[in-house]
Amino acid sequence: MTKLSFSKLFVSISVISLFAIMVYLNVSTLELNETIGSGLFYLKGYYEEGNMIVTEQGIGVITLPLAIGLVASTIIKLVHHYKAPSFTN
């Protein structure tokens, strides 16, 4: 069994979740004055500003995959650490 480092696991999960979030944002339709997420996890907004209709992507497009990668890789490494048999004499 090969040992996967925390950084490789973190980057892999973050890239996969970024891909999934981008697909979700492309297929989701928003009504006027509707948003997806808020604060640090704000993903997308669609609103009217003056005479223009604005669609924007927020910082959550980056922070959400990083948070998912961090939590998931930490849980995986902790479970792997505690389930792995220790060979101490």
Side-chain angles (χ1 to χ4, degrees):
M1 184 161 120
T2 61
K3 206 169 188 188
L4 193 59
S5 71
F6 181 82
S7 58
K8 286 183 182 179
L9 188 62
F10 170 72
V11 169
S12 299
I13 293 172
S14 296
V15 167
I16 292 169
S17 61
L18 175 65
F19 175 73
I21 287 171
M22 294 305 282
V23 169
Y24 170 74
L25 289 177
N26 284 329
V27 298
S28 66
T29 56
L30 294 176
E31 298 293 325
L32 195 57
N33 296 324
E34 189 177 3
T35 61
I36 300 173
S38 64
L40 196 56
F41 300 112
Y42 175 69
L43 292 174
K44 188 176 184 180
Y46 184 65
Y47 57 92
E48 187 175 2
E49 186 176 290
N51 293 339
M52 299 185 305
I53 294 181
V54 178
T55 302
E56 68 178 8
Q57 286 188 332
I59 193 167
V61 173
I62 299 300
T63 59
L64 193 58
L66 292 176
I68 291 170
L70 180 65
V71 170
S73 56
T74 302
I75 290 172
I76 290 171
K77 288 305 259 185
L78 284 173
V79 167
H80 180 68
H81 175 71
Y82 286 113
K83 284 187 94 174
S86 64
F87 297 104
T88 58
N89 290 329

